[in-house]
């Protein structure tokens, strides 16, 4: 199987969950990173400069034997199955994992649709209000939902749910998002514990040392 994962040249969770799953599973793939300039130019056309199809004009895209597929969740599940980080024959566990993947999209959307200086007219949430209100409320719900007796988000083993949670929470506490404090996870030990376990996993450490720029603001879970 010839696999290429296409995304921009940074470790955002949408791509990272699948990149790391493939790496952990020892699945050979082409980690294709395009620059923002090319993406901005081609996204409305739906094709990269070399003719590769980008369905919906969005990234990530996975190309398997020259056939493109889009959407973070579907790509992550496919890569997760190849890497044994997502079940092939346990539909209920699969759904349990899916809920954590979809939650990451919600977190991203709250950030996307909020801002530092927003006017009443824009009807966007101010970041401070977001942090104190919806974000903390939902993170608390996530915290309460995670099991105290299990190290991972779903099931008894690490899965793509943990990879997605780790990377998106790392972005949240990285100090690079206007108005989101680095200590936003401080009240949530179970979330931090999963993120620390992923952060310390030898394959993840190896992947980071191979692909992340030095001093990349990954966020800390200590
Ligand atoms: N629903 C898509 C959304 C992907 C998405 O929004 N990707 C961003 C890059 S992180 C993008 O391609 N934005 C360009 C656009 O939507 O026009 C998914 O889950 O993969």
């Amino acid at each position: 199987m010839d696999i290429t994962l296409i995304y921009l040249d940074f470790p955002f969770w949408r791509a990272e969950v699948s990149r790391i799953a493939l790496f952990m599973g020892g699945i050979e793939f082409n980690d294709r990173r395009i620059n923002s300039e090319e993406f901005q130019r081609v996204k409305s056309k739906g094709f990269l400069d070399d003719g590769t199809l980008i369905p919906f004009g969005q990234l990530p895209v996975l190309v398997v034997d020259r056939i493109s597929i889009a959407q973070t969740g579907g790509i992550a599940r496919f890569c997760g199955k190849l890497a044994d980080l997502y079940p092939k024959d346990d539909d209920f566990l699969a759904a349990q994992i899916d809920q954590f993947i979809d939650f990451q999209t919600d977190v991203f959307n709250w950030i996307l649709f909020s801002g530092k200086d927003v006017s009443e007219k824009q009807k966007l949430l101010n970041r401070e209000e977001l942090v104190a209100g919806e974000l903390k409320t939902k993170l608390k719900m996530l915290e309460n939902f995670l099991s105290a007796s299990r190290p991972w988000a779903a099931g008894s083993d690490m899965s793509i749910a943990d990879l997605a949670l780790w990377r998106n929470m790392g972005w949240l506490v990285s100090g690079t998002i206007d108005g989101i404090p680095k200590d936003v996870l401080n009240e949530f030990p179970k979330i931090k514990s999963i993120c620390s376990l992923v952060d310390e996993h030898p394959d993840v450490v190896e992947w980071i040392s191979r692909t992340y720029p030095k001093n990349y603001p990954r966020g800390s879970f200590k």
Side-chain angles (χ1 to χ4, degrees):
M1 203 185 292
D2 184 61
I3 302 177
T4 296
L5 181 58
I6 307 170
Y7 194 68
L8 298 152
D9 190 13
F10 50 78
F12 194 52
W13 78 275
R14 285 188 186 287
E16 214 54 8
V17 58
S18 296
R19 285 175 180 151
I20 297 183
L22 292 173
F23 177 69
M24 290 181 86
I27 316 289
E28 220 175 284
F29 73 107
N30 174 18
D31 182 8
R32 182 168 176 191
R33 297 169 185 238
I34 67 165
N35 62 43
S36 308
E37 186 274 324
E38 178 177 3
F39 187 45
Q40 290 310 319
R41 185 159 38 76
V42 302
K43 69 178 187 181
S44 59
K45 293 191 276 182
F47 292 94
L48 295 185
D49 285 340
D50 68 358
T52 302
L53 173 67
I54 303 296
F56 317 124
Q58 293 175 322
L59 295 177
V61 162
L62 189 75
V63 186
V64 179
D65 294 337
R66 301 170 70 183
I67 298 174
S68 298
I69 62 160
Q71 299 294 350
T72 303
I75 293 172
R77 283 186 280 276
F78 179 75
C79 296
K81 283 181 191 168
L82 291 179
D84 276 335
L85 290 163
Y86 188 84
K88 294 191 186 90
D89 52 11
D90 185 339
D91 291 342
F92 190 59
L93 178 59
Q96 287 179 300
I97 292 172
D98 291 347
Q99 67 191 340
F100 292 105
I101 303 281
D102 292 341
F103 182 75
Q104 305 318 317
T105 298
D106 290 351
V107 171
F108 176 71
N109 286 340
W110 293 322
I111 305 291
L112 187 68
F113 297 114
S114 62
K116 199 169 176 215
D117 304 303
V118 292
S119 68
E120 188 58 30
K121 212 168 137 214
Q122 287 173 296
K123 290 211 168 67
L124 291 172
L125 203 56
N126 175 281
R127 279 272 159 76
E128 266 171 41
E129 288 170 40
L130 174 74
V131 171
E134 185 151 29
L135 187 63
K136 283 268 175 89
T137 305
K138 300 289 185 174
L139 288 173
K140 188 159 186 43
M141 287 178 175
L142 171 64
E143 176 74 11
N144 292 340
F145 187 43
L146 293 171
S147 162
S149 60
R150 254 194 345 237
W152 305 110
S156 51
D157 297 308
M158 185 178 182
S159 72
I160 55 169
D162 305 295
L163 293 177
L165 183 70
W166 160 75
R167 191 68 281 275
N168 207 27
M169 293 299 114
W171 174 63
L172 206 61
V173 299
S174 66
T176 60
I177 313 172
D178 255 351
I180 307 287
K182 283 179 168 181
D183 64 359
V184 71
L185 292 181
N186 271 11
E187 305 148 50
F188 310 120
K190 284 185 272 177
I191 300 177
K192 287 204 299 181
S193 163
I194 291 177
C195 293
S196 294
L197 281 178
V198 176
D199 216 31
E200 288 156 14
H201 190 289
D203 291 348
V204 174
V205 172
E206 171 72 22
W207 177 257
I208 288 169
S209 82
R210 283 192 198 192
T211 64
Y212 285 42
K214 247 195 164 37
N215 302 323
Y216 185 81
R218 293 192 287 120
S220 162
F221 307 106
K222 298 291 170 215

